[in-house]
Amino acid sequence: MAAEPTAQESRSRDLDKLLLRPGNLVGPNFEPGPALRDDLKEYGRVLVVGAGGLGCELLKDLALSGFRKLEVIDMDRIEVSNLNRQFLFRLEDVGKPKAEVAAKRVMERVSGVNIVPHFCRIEDKELEFYSKFSIIALGLDSIEARSYINSVACSFLEYDSDDSALEETSKPMVDGGTEGFQGHARVIVPGVTPCFECTIWLFPPQVKFPLCTLAETPRTAAHCIEYAHLIKWDEVHSGKAFDPDDPEHMKWVYNEATKRAELFGIPGVTYSLTQGVVKNIIPAIASTNAIISAACVLETLKIASGCSKTLSNYLTYNGAEGLHTEVTEFVKDKDCLVCGPGVLIQLDTSITLEKFIDLLKEHPKLLLSKASITHRGKSLYMQAPPVLEEMTRSNLSIPLFDLIGKIPKDVVHAIGTTTKNDKKTSCLRKLRVVFKGVDGIADMDTAGET
Amino acid sequence: MAEPKTKYDRQLRIWGEQGQTALEKASICLLNCGPTGSETLKNLVLGGVGSITVIDGSKVELGDLGNNFMVDESSVGKSKAKCVCQFLQELNDAVKAKFIEEYPEALIETNPSFFSQFTLVVATQLVEDSMVKLDRICREANVILVLARSYGLTGLVRISLKEHTVIESKPEHFLDDLRLNNPWPELRGLAETIDLDVTDPVAHKHMPYVLILVKMAEEWSKSHDGKLPSTREEKKEFKEHIKARMTALDEDNYKEAIEASFKVFAPRGISSDLQQLIGDRFVEVDSSSSDFWVMVAALKEFIENEGGGEAPLEGSIPDMTSSTEHYVSLQKLYQAKAEADFLVIEQRVRTILKRIGRDPNSISKTTIKSFCKNARKLKVCRYRLVEDEFNSPVLPELQKCLTDEDYSVAGGFYILLRAVDRFAANYNSFPGQFDGVMDEDISRLKTTAVGLLNDLGCNGVTLTEDLINEMCRFGAAELHAVAAFIGGIASQEVIKLITRQFVPLSGTFIFNGIDHKSQLLSL
């Protein structure tokens, strides 16, 4: 007994109060004790998606909330304009991958924590990669990326024969987002709470200016800027793509916008506004990111340990006019394409994989093109990279029924692109394929023998 | 050093150069640099405040490594203030960072004048007695005080200063100032020159709704004894008139006119908030009045005289379907009226300044201009002394919260956060701070809380056993995630107070980390 340091001397002095002591306002599976604290270290694997304003905070907060096994994924490099809030980065880090620097800095300061960085796009990772985490924490600034991760997490959710979600297969997520003095934090437990897609209406698409306004009746500085950016650039630079990160390109757009504004007598074009409009810059400050990330990590700790009740299920924070917080309990959409049991597709046993992929293009609920198909973690066909494409190409001419082991019905996953608001986005869909004219029970037996 | 414009770009888009300058001029003092205090300062250092002074008398212990990112293995046994200060300096070399190794309680007792050198004091993890004393000191010295505390899954943020006035409150949703219900002669004049029945379809669909509405309101009032639509039927009829003028289904400008027609029906004159402001006793200005109240005095005169019951025009218009020519000429018309209103107010400000014995030019043109532009959005926040709140809280508000279905937990935490300080004063430790005496602490805390409720006059209110147990379970723990949350809020409030933009919270924010049903209490 003497070997155990007393609570006051321990590194987990404060956290222990919550993890070691019983309480009545706690989660249903709360089992306080040193084993819980150790389990958190050992088995609480959290993936942080995004190493920006929220991601830096999430990593720090998780590392100081009893989690030891963290990973972080981000495709961006550090820029000077990150330094007003992304506190793990210094001026000399500019140009380096965010995920790598963030992981290194937190590990330097919090001993015992291991953080694996992944400097790549979220779509570059296989589904397997995401399946190993107990919780995924999202620190993203785009709807598309949230949507993608959400579909990945939901793809692990299994349903029983009565279409009831099997909770033990649910991969929980916490999601944060900020803009200026405002933000939101939410808990997503697929199968229990609404998923990101169930409440996609909370994030209305950005309103774009009509092209005729830009071309014919500009009225505001933003109209002049978008004219230069979207119309004039292509007229002048035949074929050369506009690069928002190239200062020369930005300068050109600014100059053209200024000329147009002068022509029409419109005030207000500045270089800063030009950048803001063209890159759709969302203003961001350290304090809001800190608040929202902290709420997300507190919920992560509660989900992992049961040490308190959880947020149910969406918190909005607004600090612009006084301080307002509000909790809203959204309900899940039982017909959701993403977290529901999956889109049902009936097929003939003779349908080849190639035909099946073509079918997904036309399917009214899916409209999924260039799909890669996986079955229980195994790739049946991969569109990319070329090596994998070549390796799986021969499957295209084989019936899907045969490829999945002649089971009368099962779930396959398709990752492809779909068009949303005129924008191509990657998405993952869970498909329940059912083969016509196959006797379920008899075939289940044969499947078992192979 | 990085180009500050680039480094601060994302925040300059929120509070502009002016706000940034205010931050860079500010000197902030932090009391206690546990995670709550450290995280508060971190967010402020990143944003580029002028200087920070960290005050903490404790040495870093092993337990601090588990909840504070600003200390590490090498810090154990060293001054916490020094270690935290060092890390903070690393975040931004433009900030002047200092530390003093001393306990805040001692400083409050022995050297109250120390605090008067700061713009703002952030006091974290103080107990009631110290909060009350520090509050009196800061109030006396006119130093802004922000109190922040994390305690298990609860915590609080409270602002204290006599008065905070805001010109740029920047509300997100605020009705534009188009004066469609009370157009001035030039706007009427412009509307008269246009022909709503223009035959060219392109011209017809590019007539801005402002002109459509002014013109049609004029027509209406001519046939209705000079009155605008006021009854439900009249409003409906007015909208029908607009609809009848459409010549094609795709005329967005007419759709906008129908949607915006309520602006014609809105009552003339100023809002009740503004009415209240110009009725404030501070409008009777003298040589000790702040610039803000001098300008409000001028505003009051304007509204009662030249303004004819209206505030100065804001001068900007929202985007709307329109030809460029019409839009630009409207823009110029609104700007010209705003400029004219500004000149009148400026004159009145100068006259008032002279009358109260101040230099007539002591308030800059830019300030007066900003004041005029934001005249409808001015905000005044006043905060009670912490001591007054503690001795005599606004009972109905407290009772309401304590018995509310959703917010009784937050209300309970407010009481318990005070009860633990009474507990600590009596028993020299916080309830549940040490293992082994939990049951005794629970019953003692219960007795203490009941006593407090009685003293406050909250009769008939009881706290649940579960909540009292929970408070003991917390054992004064400062959890990192809670500290980052509370510290985040504290820093956000500091920024609003220093930049004098946006509106700071009123009263006390009580954090409920159990289900996030937190509450703002104005006691």
Side-chain angles (χ1 to χ4, degrees), chain B residues 53-83:
Chain B
T53 304
V54 181
I55 294 167
D56 194 313
S58 64
K59 304 273 193 233
V60 178
E61 295 169 19
L62 201 56
D64 298 326
L65 306 191
N67 71 1
N68 194 341
F69 195 73
M70 319 283 150
V71 294
D72 64 9
E73 302 295 314
S74 68
S75 318
V76 177
K78 294 183 188 158
S79 154
K80 201 189 283 179
K82 185 181 180 184
C83 297

Side-chain angles (χ1 to χ4, degrees), chain A residues 215-229:
Chain A
E216 287 154 23
T217 55
R219 300 175 296 271
T220 65
H223 291 156
C224 299
I225 293 163
E226 283 295 64
Y227 171 81
H229 167 218

Side-chain angles (χ1 to χ4, degrees), chain A residues 62-319:
Chain A
L62 286 164
L64 291 172
S65 298
F67 295 94
R68 288 287 176 87
K69 294 191 169 164
L70 306 174
E71 302 198 18
V72 56
I73 181 166
D74 195 311
M75 62 184 278
D76 287 337
R77 290 174 185 277
I78 297 161
E79 293 176 33
V80 174
S81 64
N82 301 147
L83 300 179
N84 80 321
R85 61 196 186 283
Q86 299 174 20
F87 70 100
L88 296 172
F89 309 142
R90 310 282 172 267
L91 191 55
E92 59 268 25
D93 299 324
V94 170
K96 294 181 194 161
K98 287 185 176 180
E100 289 170 14
V101 178
K104 185 177 126 248
R105 285 276 143 72
V106 174
M107 283 195 288
E108 276 168 9
R109 297 201 67 82
V110 186
S111 72
V113 170
N114 187 51
I115 306 176
V116 183
H118 302 274
F119 173 45
C120 62
R121 291 159 49 85
I122 48 177
E123 295 90 345
D124 292 345
K125 292 285 181 193
E126 304 211 354
L127 286 183
E128 277 298 293
F129 169 78
Y130 294 101
S131 75
K132 66 184 177 190
F133 300 100
S134 30
I135 298 171
I136 302 177
L138 278 65
L140 293 163
D141 59 2
S142 95
I143 296 169
E144 291 78 17
R146 279 195 185 92
S147 205
Y148 180 77
I149 294 287
N150 177 67
S151 65
V152 170
C154 290
S155 75
F156 302 122
L157 182 67
E158 291 175 19
Y159 281 79
D160 64 14
S161 49
D162 299 332
D163 278 357
S164 311
L166 299 167
E167 267 190 60
E168 64 273 20
T169 62
S170 178
K171 178 105 31 220
M173 286 169 277
V174 292
D175 171 49
T178 73
E179 177 171 357
F181 284 95
Q182 305 175 31
H184 79 264
R186 71 189 295 186
V187 171
I188 298 176
V189 183
V192 180
T193 72
C195 79
F196 184 72
E197 216 61 40
C198 293
T199 53
I200 191 79
W201 49 271
L202 285 167
F203 298 83
Q206 217 201 325
V207 192
K208 287 188 190 127
F209 302 123
L211 283 180
C212 60
T213 296
L214 303 184
E216 287 154 23
T217 55
R219 300 175 296 271
T220 65
H223 291 156
C224 299
I225 293 163
E226 283 295 64
Y227 171 81
H229 167 218
L230 298 172
I231 299 174
K232 188 85 184 200
W233 177 273
D234 287 337
E235 275 177 24
V236 176
H237 304 83
S238 49
K240 189 160 109 189
F242 173 80
D243 175 8
D245 293 322
D246 185 332
E248 290 303 314
H249 290 194
M250 195 61 81
K251 197 100 203 179
W252 187 90
V253 167
Y254 164 64
N255 286 334
E256 285 303 314
T258 310
K259 277 189 231 163
R260 189 164 177 81
E262 271 168 20
L263 181 68
F264 285 96
I266 296 166
V269 175
T270 62
Y271 189 69
S272 168
L273 182 70
T274 307
Q275 282 183 308
V277 170
V278 170
K279 295 169 98 168
N280 184 27
I281 292 175
I282 298 164
I285 52 176
S287 54
T288 317
N289 285 329
I291 295 163
I292 293 304
S293 304
C296 287
V297 169
L298 190 57
E299 293 314 303
T300 308
L301 175 64
K302 293 183 198 172
I303 294 169
S305 71
C307 71
S308 184
K309 292 179 180 175
T310 50
L311 164 69
S312 180
N313 42 39
Y314 197 109
L315 170 73
T316 43
Y317 180 92
N318 190 344

